[in-house]
Amino acid sequence: METYHIHINGIVQGVGFRPMIYHLAKKLNLNGYVKNDSNGVNVFFNASYDEADAFFKRIKLAAPEKSKIISAKLFRITDQSYVDFTILVQDNNACEKQVLLSPDMALCPDCRAELHDAGNRRYRYPFITCTQCGPRYSIMNGLPYERHTTAMQAFTMCETCKAEYLDINDRRFFSQTNSCVDCGIKLSLYKDASTIIANDTEAVLSHIKNYLRQGKIIAVKGIGGYLLLCDANNLQAIQILRARKYRPSKPFAILYPCIKSVQNSFELNEQEQELLESPAAPIVLLALKQTAFYELAVKGIIPGLERMGVMIPYNPLLDLISNDFGKPLIATSANISGSPIIYKDDDALNYLFEIADCVVSNNREIITPQDDSVVQVSKYTHQQIIFRRSRGYAPSFLDYQPQTKSGILSTGAFLKSSFTLAVNGNVFVSQFLGSGESFESQLMYRQTLEHWLQMYTVKPEVIVADMHPGYFSTEYALELAEKFDAEVKLVQHHEAHFAAVLAENKLLRKKDPVLGVIWDGTGLGTDRNIWGGEFFKYENNQMERVNHFDYFPTVAGDKTALEPRIAALCAVSESGRRPSILKEKFTGAEWNNYHALIRSANLFTSSVGRIFDAVASLLGICDKQSYEGEAAMYLQRAAAAYVDENGFNMDESYVKEWKADGLVPTEVLIRNLLADINSGKPISYIAAKFHYTMVCLPGIIAGDLNIQHICFSGGVFQNALLVDWIKTAYEGKYQLYFHINLSPNDENISFGQLVYDENGIKSKPVVRDTSGRENINKEDINDLYDLAL
């Protein structure tokens, strides 16, 4: 009998692949073994060629639902003899580490049913799992995926669980997270850092229910970190949570017990329901029905907004808590304002009592922290927009195959940090890792990256970073390059955005030119100005900045991003006007000081993000914001009110005379918008007209350049109304491309950096003249690299 080897790679560990192969081999009377290795799943068996080929084909057809195969090969090898078919658990450190990591998966229907079945031995066990659900990525500390390489190593299965684990006919056959109330994870309820109130499951759950009814705030350890819970209809509890968390107006997410309860209170289409019930189980932004106002303190949860982030329980503990309480709960990441999610038990006990009235912990370690993912489906064209890619989606990325097997690390941007690692032919895009401005986020970034490099035993040969020398991600890239003796390469922020959306849509080898519309808040340009309203042409593997919003001054550093009134003052300054509606937003001293700064400004911006802020302030919608994007979201809501009543029926643009015969005229846009304000036009009309102006611009530039393919990236394209309007306006006229499995915001920068470098994309340099708008000389651009070094 001949001997064959099947090698399968992809998301093939922790999804029931070995049990499926074992069942199939037994059915076909084949002898051999299947095992997880660091390079995927390997099967060795005796068979004739026809039997081996049939087995190989049936494996691919029978792949578990949650698996994703990226490569599968059948080899004839040196003959060996096997007497049975088994699952072998044995590490092979000689294997090339290339297996993809499985994401954490939401509670499956079978486990959910058992959780609530009084006759089942896992009835109300808060950590019930099987081969089709439960934590994976968050508990892995080594490869391949086996119990002893996860946080489950600390728990020895009881005889009953072990019997299930070894029973070919059991749903938990070779389930590495298998446990029960007798041998599994234990809850503990703390009233302070050193005092446990209860550690019996039912006692803990009873206390939680009672505390929630009393309006208390509870910190609960979830899959990727701690969550803060309170009654979503108790305005006083919500206000206390906001005060303790220093979160005055940023929206909270809501946890509902089940999909039916969501349907009662929210508009829910098929696509949105699919997302909520998917293995990723993200937070989904939904439109409220009138009934929601009777069971939720809406104004306290989403001040000034129309959509609410909603999720259903993705783990059994949250399922028990929410069903016991029977009403919606606030569910938000447990962190101190500006810091990342808390996931270590010691940190929870040391810091969370500043916010929570009690802390519910458990004795299973979280290896890798993750926030909940956030997704929206746009109202009119049903475009999926990822706001945060984390639990359930990270880290494996199947939409791009690197050109080389050498290790490449890209370190991303600043505010929406992530990193991307290409190793042994695979790409991993990390979960959202917070903002690079806080020390705690920087520490979590370092620990997560070090964990990955250790798991894959990879030494990066090339490290790619943003060209801004002040970003933590750039500084860390230089530190790692020295440590690993790696080559450092710098990529301009917006070109990385463009590379990311090109790669996601498989446009890198396209023969026709592609226009990239890259709009966001900030990114250092090659002319040392702050870019953010960019138009690039991509052709023959080269990017060229073909247009941008005309520059206006930027002053006061990061304060401009926090105070839209300053952005408005800067944008208006180019028109030579000082409208009274703006002056009243400042004290006399502020007014004079900011004008002095503007007159002496030597830094300019083309940022569309700041233009959105400026318009929001001029319309009296928001002058100071407490979280990123707040002003733009209020402006979007004002425009949506007009569109909901009138449809996308607008034929007046604030730059209607512009024919792509120069830079996008920021000053003209603001001057015409001020004229509408002065004439008393409704705020919703002006907000919609501004949105329509932004919709018109890509078409004008694409038409001028005779380009039919347009890509969109940057945080501005989290605006679902803008995306809907663009898709509606250009339907049948242009081929439009948006991000698919990545967020349009800066989370995609690390992936774009890797794509840019790995594909050898070139850029036509932008230089600046002595007027201060387009800088000095070509040699000066090289100083950016020297400055970073």
Side-chain angles (χ1 to χ4, degrees), residues 480-541:
L480 289 172
E482 186 173 352
K483 175 182 177 181
F484 292 115
D485 193 24
E487 181 182 4
V488 176
K489 297 186 180 180
L490 304 180
V491 176
Q492 198 280 322
H493 185 95
H494 300 90
E495 291 177 347
H497 265 305
F498 192 16
V501 70
L502 284 168
E504 260 209 284
N505 288 279
K506 299 181 173 25
L507 297 172
L508 291 168
R509 303 290 176 261
K510 192 159 191 68
K511 294 181 180 178
D512 300 327
V514 181
L515 179 68
V517 182
I518 315 299
W519 294 348
D520 66 0
T522 183
L524 182 64
T526 56
D527 63 358
R528 292 192 175 182
N529 284 315
I530 303 301
W531 293 5
E534 313 308 309
F535 298 87
F536 295 95
K537 182 175 77 168
Y538 176 79
E539 189 173 23
N540 298 324
N541 213 40

Side-chain angles (χ1 to χ4, degrees), residues 3-7 42-43 45 52 56 72-77:
T3 303
Y4 289 88
H5 170 207
I6 293 173
H7 173 241
N42 288 293
V43 191
F45 61 102
F56 180 53
K73 296 178 181 177
L74 173 67
F75 306 94
R76 172 79 166 85
I77 61 171

Side-chain angles (χ1 to χ4, degrees), residues 88 316 331 344 362 364 429 444 473 520 558 583 759:
L88 184 65
K344 294 182 178 179
N362 67 67
R364 182 174 61 197
V429 182
M444 189 168 81
S473 57
D520 66 0
D558 293 340
K583 188 171 184 179
N759 288 275

Side-chain angles (χ1 to χ4, degrees), residues 571-586:
V572 166
S573 69
E574 293 297 279
S575 69
R577 299 172 182 235
R578 296 189 176 188
S580 58
I581 57 169
L582 198 49
K583 188 171 184 179
E584 65 192 25
K585 300 175 187 293
F586 299 87

Side-chain angles (χ1 to χ4, degrees), residues 533-535 545-551 606 655 658-668 697 701 773-774:
E534 313 308 309
F535 298 87
R545 189 192 194 202
V546 292
N547 213 311
H548 61 85
F549 278 74
D550 199 5
Y551 287 129
S606 58
V655 292
W658 186 65
K659 304 295 182 187
D661 51 356
L663 301 179
V664 178
T666 308
E667 182 269 327
V668 172
L697 295 172
I701 292 175
R773 299 297 176 88
E774 299 262 335

Side-chain angles (χ1 to χ4, degrees), residues 335-353:
N335 62 339
I336 310 302
S337 183
S339 299
I341 189 169
I342 287 175
Y343 70 103
K344 294 182 178 179
D345 298 332
D346 287 346
D347 289 342
L349 296 176
N350 287 332
Y351 301 119
L352 287 183
F353 284 103

Side-chain angles (χ1 to χ4, degrees), residues 564-565 613 616-625 630-631 634:
R565 61 177 188 151
D613 289 348
S617 179
L618 290 171
L619 289 176
I621 292 173
C622 182
D623 292 326
K624 295 181 179 180
Q625 52 187 5
E630 182 176 8
Y634 297 157

Side-chain angles (χ1 to χ4, degrees), residues 211-232:
Y211 285 155
L212 291 170
R213 286 177 175 172
Q214 294 167 22
K216 293 186 182 296
I217 298 164
I218 301 175
V220 177
K221 186 177 181 180
I223 295 293
Y226 281 79
L227 291 176
L228 295 168
L229 306 179
C230 73
D231 184 350

